[in-house]
Amino acid sequence: LVGQIGGPSYTVAVNGDYAYIGMGLRLLVVRVDDPAHPTLEGSVLLPDAASGVAVAGNYAYVAARGAGLRVVNISNPAHPAEVSAYDTPGSAGGVAVIGDYAYVADGTEGLRIIDISNPTNPTEVGSYDTPGNVQSVAVVGTYAYLADGNSGLRIIDVSDPTGPTEVGSLDTPGFAADVAVAGNYAYVADNDALRIIDISTPGTPTEVGSYSATAYAVSVVGQYAYLAGGSVRIIDVSDPSSPSLAGSFS
């Protein structure tokens, strides 16, 4: 540990010199160019818990549970300000932003696709109702990868945002709480294990490896997967068929 600020947090996105942290009902803007001395620059109060955040340009897009998608202008880090919102029908738990669209993991109401080409007027253009409870979303190319709770990994073709369609799925053994995508693999935090799934053919995703550990959230950088689940485990995934523990801290 080289630095710390605040209390329990539920989501974080880093963009340049700033980290955008969901802490309860607030989105914090924290300067992190000196990792040993993170500095709170500003914050904004939201109507519900900030459980997911994505940053694009001058805006942070926050999944705020029962309050849906909130759009926050972050051009002035000292004074972030909410400029608009779209109240999704479910519980917004995660968000990914690609181009003009925000993809919201909306719990029992599936995937919601929001046009954010005008950030002050977000508008839903499409949706897909999965069989489970969408916890998290990652978007790469024309596919959205959904961690769908008890229904595992769902792969949705979003090449037409107004008509998303499922092209493949894999019902993992646990509860799919989070997903990250790197290269030809999806990494699923499946409650009691990390599942590594070959998605090179989106229509037939196949598990190629796993690592048993409490896994509620996952991030992948280079050859390492970082698993959060009480403690943080760093898993070497350079060989996806044989992931191994590289380190841990709590």
Side-chain angles (χ1 to χ4, degrees):
L1 181 68
V2 296
Q4 186 268 345
I5 191 167
S9 59
Y10 304 100
T11 183
V12 61
V14 177
N15 187 35
D17 290 338
Y18 296 95
Y20 302 87
I21 301 170
M23 190 171 290
L25 298 180
R26 290 189 176 275
L27 178 71
L28 309 184
V29 182
V30 179
R31 192 174 182 92
V32 292
D33 54 335
D34 179 0
H37 301 95
T39 305
L40 178 63
E41 294 283 307
S43 70
V44 61
L45 183 65
L46 302 170
D48 206 341
S51 58
V53 60
V55 176
N58 288 326
Y59 297 94
Y61 299 86
V62 183
R65 292 296 177 188
L69 179 70
R70 320 303 292 192
V71 183
V72 178
N73 188 320
I74 53 172
S75 57
N76 181 349
H79 299 286
E82 183 176 306
V83 294
S84 65
Y86 182 83
D87 190 4
T88 58
S91 177
V95 59
V97 171
I98 300 292
D100 287 337
Y101 299 97
Y103 301 82
V104 178
D106 205 35
T108 57
E109 296 298 326
L111 172 69
R112 321 304 295 194
I113 303 176
I114 314 298
D115 185 334
I116 53 168
S117 55
N118 179 358
T120 64
N121 185 32
T123 306
E124 182 173 304
V125 295
S127 65
Y128 185 84
D129 189 9
T130 65
N133 186 328
V134 185
Q135 305 292 303
S136 175
V137 56
V139 180
V140 178
T142 58
Y143 296 101
Y145 301 85
L146 308 180
D148 199 33
N150 288 323
S151 293
L153 176 70
R154 322 299 295 194
I155 302 177
I156 312 299
D157 183 338
V158 292
S159 55
D160 176 6
T162 66
T165 57
E166 182 171 284
V167 295
S169 65
L170 180 67
D171 190 0
T172 57
F175 183 89
D178 195 17
V179 59
V181 174
N184 288 326
Y185 299 95
Y187 300 82
V188 177
D190 202 35
N191 197 56
D192 59 358
L194 171 68
R195 308 282 172 188
I196 304 177
I197 300 168
D198 185 334
I199 53 170
S200 55
T201 303
T204 55
T206 305
E207 183 174 315
V208 295
S210 65
Y211 183 87
S212 294
T214 302
Y216 302 141
V218 59
S219 179
V220 178
V221 180
Q223 70 180 48
Y224 297 102
Y226 299 81
L227 282 186
S231 62
V232 175
R233 289 178 170 85
I234 304 171
I235 311 300
D236 186 336
V237 293
S238 54
D239 178 359
S241 67
S242 184
S244 60
L245 183 67
S248 66
F249 61 92
S250 59

